[in-house]
Amino acid sequence: MTTVTTGSAIDERRVLLLHGPNLNLLGEREPEVYGTATLADHVHTAEQTAAAFGIAVEAYQSNHEGDLVDRIHAARGRCAAIVINPGAFTHYAWSIHDALAAFDGPIVELHLSNPNAREPWRHTSVVAPVASGTICGFGAAGYELALAAVARLLGPTGET
Ligand code: CA2
């Protein structure tokens, strides 16, 4: 079991950025579908975008469903929002659906490609019903869009 140390208070400006299986291979194969940027490149883009809104990003990738569930649990009461590209888990991982349903805060589902324009089995998302919204088909720009969406949903910092 993966245990993530949790603080006692929610950080209203901290976002969990989750990636599912095979996304660690980005930039190595299928550039015509997923682009040439690596996962590290996308995380960097997300961090830069988030920083402009005064938001910190906590990024994690796993090829294992339970690891992602554990991370979602650990974000409860600690992170204000979640951005998740669940990879192929999008289409069948009900445990991720259930974990996200137990999270109080905005959830943005993110995909590099547009699964709805691909094979029929990609047209179903078990994450979409528990997401605030989905950003898909915009490639690397999706990271900027997703973090901007989170910033909009969280509202201003309250700092003067
Ligand atoms: O478009 C997306 O972001 C996806 O979430 C990517 C998933 C796919 O199963 C979803 O339908 C849509 C697959 C990610 C696989 O990533 C690879 C990266 C490099 C080489 C091979 C696979």
Side-chain angles (χ1 to χ4, degrees), residues 22-23 25-26 29-30 34 85 87-88 91 111-113 122:
N22 298 307
L23 290 161
L25 298 180
L26 285 172
R29 295 189 55 200
E30 300 189 59
Y34 300 118
N85 183 343
H91 312 298
H111 301 283
L112 290 159
S113 68
R122 295 187 201 270

Side-chain angles (χ1 to χ4, degrees), residues 29-116:
R29 295 189 55 200
E30 300 189 59
E32 69 285 2
V33 180
Y34 300 118
T36 55
T38 65
L39 181 58
D41 293 333
H42 293 310
V43 170
H44 182 69
T45 299
E47 289 171 342
Q48 294 290 108
T49 306
F53 294 105
I55 292 171
V57 171
E58 179 178 311
Y60 181 74
Q61 186 275 334
S62 178
N63 296 320
H64 305 281
E65 187 174 341
D67 285 347
L68 296 169
V69 169
D70 285 340
R71 283 285 169 156
I72 294 165
H73 290 176
R76 296 176 69 232
R78 200 172 59 81
C79 295
I82 295 176
V83 175
I84 181 167
N85 183 343
F89 288 154
T90 303
H91 312 298
Y92 63 91
W94 288 103
S95 64
I96 292 178
H97 164 106
D98 288 350
L100 290 170
F103 179 81
D104 289 323
I107 296 166
V108 176
E109 179 186 2
L110 172 63
H111 301 283
L112 290 159
S113 68
N114 179 359
N116 299 304

